[in-house]
Amino acid sequence: MDCINQEVFKKQRRLHISLAKEIDYKNGKLLELECKIKEKDILLKEVLEERQSWKLQLEKLKNKMDHQEQQLGHSGNKEFNHFTQSRNVEFKNMVCLLEPQKMNLDQSVDTMSNKDHELMQLKVHLKELENENADMKDEHQTLITKERMTNDELQDARKEAIRAWQGLSAHHLRKFQIKRMGQIDRKPFEAICTKKCSSGGDWQAECAKLCSHWEERVKNPHWHPFKRVENHGRLIEIIDEDDEQLKELRSESGEDVYKAVTNALMELNEYNPSGKYPVPELWDSRKGRKASLKEIIEYTIKKLKALQTKRKRSL
């Protein structure tokens, strides 16, 4: 990426990374809160079921005793007194049996009262996290959209700079020039054809034929002499030196011609892998690399200032 692109996107990239990490953290907290809420809902359900079971047992006991009392209502006092004593003993035994359950239930109810309050707080917090998470995602998407728009503007500016540079004369193309990325350098082919035809023959025709042959091969979408390797934790594509056609080229035409073809292959794979045809690019001829838009602008401003100074002196 151009230096100017890096300067423009540097802050946005940091924001993207920060937001992505924050979203992951919030999602983790949301999941944790949801698990807690489910656990508390299950506990509440168990306590309510236990309370209902306790009530049913007391209700059954009361109904049973009332029924027995009605049956003995017309019996003698002695039998009724005996029933009453028996009933009181049975009731006390049942109370003693249920008392620990009642105490546990009361404790559970008290605990659940506190848990209900805590649960409500968790749900409120969960809603706040969900809203905050949604806002962060919207902000993240907005930054991505802005980055895409900025990148499109920079690419448009670069294309315009390339069109303007293509119209300049060779006199102005000393430091920067337009290079067709993916186009085979013919100089190594000219050198080898000159040697082959030193004893006679049209070396230019032979050079044109050989260059044309390899240009067609380079543009062939079915020929992809690359292999993937890991570089600093990511996969990249490099030239597969074991490719049969490249091995034959290197053997027959030498290292310089081989490099001319493989350089063209690498450039096409980077700049136009789908179209497979050369594309123009701003090139720093002195440093042998792609020129950044910032460098082009600075160079243009420098030339304009020099031209203005020259005009003022001529007046």
Side-chain angles (χ1 to χ4, degrees), residues 20-30:
K21 290 181 178 179
E22 188 68 18
I23 288 172
D24 288 341
Y25 172 76
K26 296 296 185 184
N27 283 333
K29 294 294 292 182
L30 286 175

Side-chain angles (χ1 to χ4, degrees), residues 42-237:
I42 293 173
L43 179 60
L44 177 60
K45 184 179 178 181
E46 291 176 351
V47 169
L48 293 176
E49 288 176 350
E50 186 176 355
R51 173 187 284 182
Q52 186 64 25
S53 175
W54 185 71
K55 286 183 177 180
L56 289 173
Q57 291 184 58
L58 287 178
E59 187 67 26
K60 286 180 180 180
L61 177 62
K62 183 177 179 302
N63 292 336
K64 178 182 177 181
M65 291 179 174
D66 289 342
H67 179 69
Q68 290 177 349
E69 184 177 354
Q70 289 176 2
Q71 288 180 341
L72 296 174
H74 302 289
S75 302
N77 290 336
K78 184 177 180 180
E79 186 176 355
F80 184 78
N81 291 335
H82 176 73
F83 166 75
T84 302
Q85 292 175 0
S86 176
R87 175 178 176 176
N88 290 337
V89 171
E90 185 176 355
F91 183 79
K92 288 179 180 180
N93 291 336
M94 181 60 69
V95 169
C96 291
L97 180 65
L98 294 177
E99 187 63 28
Q101 298 183 23
K102 182 178 180 298
M103 292 178 62
N104 291 336
L105 183 60
D106 291 340
Q107 292 176 357
S108 298
V109 171
D110 293 338
T111 302
M112 285 309 302
S113 298
N114 297 330
K115 294 295 183 181
D116 285 342
H117 178 67
E118 183 181 351
L119 184 61
M120 289 301 298
Q121 290 181 328
L122 286 175
K123 288 183 177 180
V124 171
H125 187 40
L126 178 63
K127 186 64 177 177
E128 291 174 352
L129 283 176
E130 288 175 345
N131 293 335
E132 186 178 351
N133 203 9
D135 292 340
M136 290 173 64
K137 286 182 177 179
D138 290 341
E139 184 179 355
H140 192 201
Q141 186 59 44
T142 300
L143 285 172
I144 291 175
T145 303
K146 287 183 178 180
E147 179 181 354
R148 187 180 297 115
M149 292 174 61
T150 304
N151 186 56
D152 290 342
E153 291 177 359
L154 289 171
Q155 293 301 322
D156 290 341
R158 188 173 189 86
K159 290 177 182 177
E160 189 60 34
I162 290 173
R163 282 194 291 269
W165 227 254
Q166 285 175 327
L168 296 178
S169 63
H171 173 70
H172 297 91
L173 300 178
R174 293 177 180 176
K175 179 173 175 56
F176 299 109
Q177 63 181 12
I178 300 299
K179 180 181 179 182
R180 295 185 62 79
M181 309 305 291
Q183 188 174 62
I184 293 178
D185 183 7
R186 295 200 167 206
K187 291 181 180 179
F189 287 88
E190 292 174 356
I192 192 173
C193 289
T194 302
K195 291 181 180 179
K196 286 183 179 181
C197 301
S198 59
S199 58
D202 190 349
W203 71 267
Q204 291 180 331
E206 181 66 22
C207 178
K209 180 180 177 181
L210 189 58
C211 281
S212 178
H213 170 74
W214 280 102
E215 283 173 351
E216 290 301 318
R217 285 197 179 184
V218 166
K219 291 188 290 185
N220 185 357
H222 302 295
W223 186 45
H224 193 73
F226 292 88
K227 62 181 179 181
R228 290 189 174 186
V229 296
E230 187 174 346
N231 182 34
H232 300 294
R234 65 187 186 93
L235 290 177
I236 61 171
E237 286 191 326

